[in-house]
Amino acid sequence: MLRHALGKTFRFLGYTVQYGCVAHCAFEYLGGIVVCSGPSMEPTIHNSDIVFSENLSRHFYCIRKGDIVIVKSPNDPKSNICKRVIGLEGDKVCTSNPSDFLKSHSYVPKGHVWLEGDNLRNSTDSRCYGPVPYGLIRGRICLKIWPLNDFGFLRASPNGHRFLDD
């Protein structure tokens, strides 16, 4: 009887570990569902919108300008942020706020990206903390799931003029 109970327990633990490993690999390498909060990505993503984030792009270095990414916050490593990629390494970016009279520019260093929220007046982004290391990118948002009336691929940046091609 004890042998039978121990056998069932160890089988259950074995299956639990196996399924845990599969789930970890799926969420780490394939993607997952993310609930966004805060106003920094409005009007593209609103507070409490639910999106799908795929993680293969970051592993294959396929992140491009204009993509919306989930990133470990440079200010608080325990939280994630959602921002749009404005510049990749070597790109010239506008580092000043939209309201600044004199515009300043800089180049994104090797191994970094420049991130900005779509709501430029209400976003803490690379204009505050500088370029972000590529390694902090967790995934690329490719689909809005909720609300259902907004289901689908995400629209282009309302701040397309901030992308510099120099």
Side-chain angles (χ1 to χ4, degrees):
M1 173 108 163
L2 179 63
R3 188 175 191 181
H4 179 70
L6 282 175
K8 278 190 152 190
T9 302
F10 283 122
R11 268 194 303 281
F12 174 75
L13 287 174
Y15 288 133
T16 302
V17 169
Q18 286 176 352
Y19 291 127
C21 290
V22 168
H24 167 74
C25 289
F27 290 127
E28 178 67 21
Y29 295 102
L30 297 180
I33 295 179
V34 178
V35 178
C36 297
S37 63
S40 73
M41 285 303 295
E42 290 177 358
T44 309
I45 299 173
H46 295 275
N47 194 35
S48 300
D49 280 0
I50 300 174
V51 296
F52 179 76
S53 170
E54 61 86 12
N55 298 348
L56 289 173
S57 294
R58 78 176 167 115
H59 291 294
F60 292 114
Y61 296 94
C62 297
I63 301 294
R64 294 178 291 183
K65 281 198 273 188
D67 287 346
I68 299 174
V69 292
I70 302 292
V71 180
K72 283 281 181 202
S73 171
N75 294 336
D76 178 15
K78 293 180 181 176
S79 66
N80 291 324
I81 57 174
C82 175
K83 304 291 179 196
R84 189 177 298 272
V85 176
I86 300 298
L88 301 169
E89 63 180 51
D91 287 344
K92 183 178 179 183
V93 292
C94 180
T95 58
S96 54
N97 288 313
S99 59
D100 293 348
F101 181 71
L102 294 174
K103 303 296 180 199
S104 57
H105 296 87
S106 182
Y107 287 93
V108 180
K110 185 176 177 74
H112 289 71
V113 294
W114 189 267
L115 305 174
E116 291 181 2
D118 285 353
N119 185 353
L120 292 174
R121 300 200 189 286
N122 195 3
S123 177
T124 302
D125 49 35
S126 287
R127 293 170 295 150
C128 299
Y129 43 71
V132 176
Y134 191 92
L136 292 182
I137 296 175
R138 306 301 305 146
R140 180 180 65 92
I141 294 178
C142 56
L143 189 69
K144 189 186 285 192
I145 297 171
W146 189 263
L148 284 178
N149 64 335
D150 224 1
F151 180 87
F153 296 105
L154 298 172
R155 65 184 125 197
S157 173
N159 305 311
H161 63 280
R162 305 244 333 145
F163 294 86
L164 298 176
D165 291 324
D166 295 347

